[in-house]
Amino acid sequence: MGQNDSSVVEFILLGFSHLHELQVHMFGAFLVIYLVTLTGNATIVTVIFLDHSLHIPMYLFLQNLSVVEASFSTAIMPEMLVVLTREKATISFGGCFAQMYFILLFGGTECFLLGAMAYDQFAAICHPLTYPVIMSKRIFVKLVMSSWVLGIMTATVEVTWVFSFPFCGPSKINHISCETPAVLELVCADTFLFEVYSFTGTMLIVMIPFLLILLSYTRILFTILRMPSTTGRQKAFSTCASHLTSVTLFYGTACMSYLQPKSKYSPDTKKLMSLAYSLLTPLLNPLIYSLRNKEIKRAVIKLCQRKVILLLAEKPFEIWKPPKEM
C-alpha cells in the first residue's frame, strides 16, 4: 500500500441534514438511547466483575459482549450527535479513518463473539454433562482472544487498503458516520479488487458465524422440544427467540451494508440499516442477553442493597433530619 496522495483533507458528514426540522428531536432521542446503552452495558460489566459467582463462561462472554457493544456505540454515536447539532459537520481525514477502524474492529469482534456465545449455549443445553470439559477456562480464553484478534486484523487490513485510495473530491459523505461503504463512494480510482475482497471478507466474517449460530440454535431447539417440562420449554423458546431476533437484526443489516459496498440502496435506507446495528443492537443486547436473566437480576439487586447498607453505615444520622424549630 503506497502513501495516500489525496487532495481531500477533511470530510463533511451530511447525516440527516435534509430533515432539518426533525434533527432536534432526533438528537434528543439518540442521546437518550446512547446514555441508556452505556448505562445498561456498564451495569452488566460491573455486576459480573464484582460478583464472583458469575465468573463462569456464560457470563464472562456477556461481559465481553457488553464491552464491545458500549465501545461500538461510542465509536459512532458521539460524532453523530455532533452532526445533528451543526449545519455543516466536518471530520478530519485522519479522524474519519480512525472512526472507520473502530467501527470495523468492534463490529468484527462482535460477529465472532456472538458465534462463540451461541456455541457456548449449544454446549450448555445440548451437552450439560460434558459442558465443563467442552467449555473449559482454556477454551473460553481462546475463543474470547480469537474474537478480539480477528476483529483487530480485519479492521487493520480493510482500513489500510481504503486509506491507500486517492480521494480527489467531492468530500461530502452522505451517511451518519465514516463507514467503509459510504467512504468508498468518494474514491476516485478503480475499487473492483477491494469490492471482491469486501464481499469475500463479509462472507467469512459475517455469514459463517451467522450460519453457525443458526445451526447451534437449531440443535438447541430440537433439544428443547424433548424437554418434559412445558414451563422449561416455554422459557427456553422465549430466550432463544430473543437471542435470534437480536442476532438477525445485527447480522442481517450488516450483510446488506457490507456485502455490496456500492449497492443501489438509497442513502436514507443505508442510514436506517446503519442505525439498526449501531444504535438498536447495543441497546437491545443488554436487555435480551442479561437483564432478563435471573442471576444477573439477582446480582444487580444484591449490589444495590450493598450500596444502601454502606450509605446507611457511613451516614446513619444524615439520611433524615428533623425540621428546625422556628
Side-chain angles (χ1 to χ4, degrees):
M1 303 295 176
Q3 184 178 357
N4 188 284
D5 56 354
S6 300
S7 59
V8 174
V9 295
E10 66 178 15
F11 295 104
I12 299 170
L13 283 169
L14 297 181
F16 296 97
S17 56
H18 61 297
L19 303 173
H20 185 71
E21 295 179 355
L22 296 176
Q23 284 196 124
V24 175
H25 302 292
M26 293 171 75
F27 175 86
F30 291 164
L31 178 60
V32 170
I33 291 173
Y34 177 55
L35 293 176
V36 171
T37 298
L38 288 185
T39 303
N41 285 292
T43 300
I44 292 166
V45 172
T46 305
V47 166
I48 294 174
F49 176 78
L50 294 176
D51 195 325
H52 292 282
S53 67
L54 299 179
H55 289 187
I56 58 176
M58 178 191 294
Y59 298 109
L60 293 175
F61 273 126
L62 290 175
Q63 188 180 46
N64 274 271
L65 181 65
S66 291
V67 171
V68 171
E69 295 287 23
S71 303
F72 187 45
S73 185
T74 300
I76 296 176
M77 291 304 298
E79 184 64 35
M80 189 170 72
L81 292 172
V82 170
V83 171
L84 290 171
T85 59
R86 295 181 182 176
E87 291 186 7
K88 184 181 178 181
T90 60
I91 183 171
S92 68
F93 193 84
C96 185
F97 279 90
Q99 186 185 50
M100 182 191 296
Y101 180 83
F102 288 113
I103 289 172
L104 290 169
L105 190 160
F106 296 122
T109 302
E110 182 169 353
C111 286
F112 296 117
L113 200 56
L114 287 172
M117 291 173 68
Y119 174 71
D120 175 65
Q121 292 194 344
F122 159 75
I125 295 174
C126 299
H127 302 282
L129 297 179
T130 56
Y131 174 73
V133 177
I134 295 173
M135 191 55 66
S136 64
K137 183 179 179 180
R138 183 174 59 87
I139 293 174
F140 161 76
V141 171
K142 282 185 176 180
L143 287 172
V144 171
M145 291 299 294
S146 297
S147 298
W148 282 99
V149 169
L150 288 170
I152 291 170
M153 289 173 59
T154 301
T156 302
V157 171
E158 186 153 327
V159 171
T160 302
W161 197 339
V162 177
F163 181 77
S164 70
F165 287 126
F167 293 84
C168 314
S171 59
K172 293 181 179 179
I173 300 175
N174 193 4
H175 201 57
I176 60 174
S177 62
C178 290
E179 290 194 70
T180 306
V183 175
L184 204 62
E185 293 180 359
L186 305 183
V187 171
C188 50
D190 183 15
T191 59
F192 175 75
L193 285 177
F194 178 82
E195 289 182 57
V196 172
Y197 159 79
S198 180
F199 180 86
T200 306
T202 302
M203 289 296 291
L204 294 173
I205 297 164
V206 178
M207 291 302 295
I208 290 179
F210 183 55
L211 292 174
L212 289 174
I213 289 169
L214 290 181
L215 181 62
S216 296
Y217 277 106
T218 301
R219 291 289 303 275
I220 288 170
L221 289 174
F222 278 116
T223 302
I224 290 169
L225 289 173
R226 293 197 293 268
M227 287 183 176
S229 170
T230 304
T231 306
R233 283 201 303 269
Q234 290 176 345
K235 180 182 176 181
F237 269 125
S238 174
T239 302
C240 288
S242 299
H243 291 186
L244 283 174
T245 300
S246 174
V247 165
T248 303
L249 180 67
F250 177 75
Y251 281 101
T253 52
C255 280
M256 291 170 72
S257 295
Y258 283 87
L259 274 176
Q260 294 178 291
K262 291 188 176 181
S263 62
K264 302 301 181 183
Y265 296 117
S266 70
D268 285 342
T269 302
K270 293 177 182 177
K271 291 171 190 177
L272 289 175
M273 288 191 296
S274 181
L275 285 175
Y277 60 78
S278 64
L279 190 71
L280 292 181
T281 306
L283 174 68
L284 292 175
N285 275 344
L287 300 173
I288 290 173
Y289 280 93
S290 301
L291 299 184
R292 290 182 56 182
N293 185 290
K294 286 184 178 179
E295 291 300 314
I296 293 288
K297 287 192 286 188
R298 177 197 59 75
V300 171
I301 293 170
K302 182 180 175 181
L303 182 63
C304 291
Q305 289 174 340
R306 189 187 305 171
K307 291 286 186 184
V308 172
I309 291 170
L310 288 173
L311 180 63
L312 290 172
E314 289 175 1
K315 299 181 179 180
F317 301 109
E318 295 181 19
I319 304 301
W320 179 84
K321 292 181 179 180
K324 294 181 179 179
E325 294 183 4
M326 300 299 291

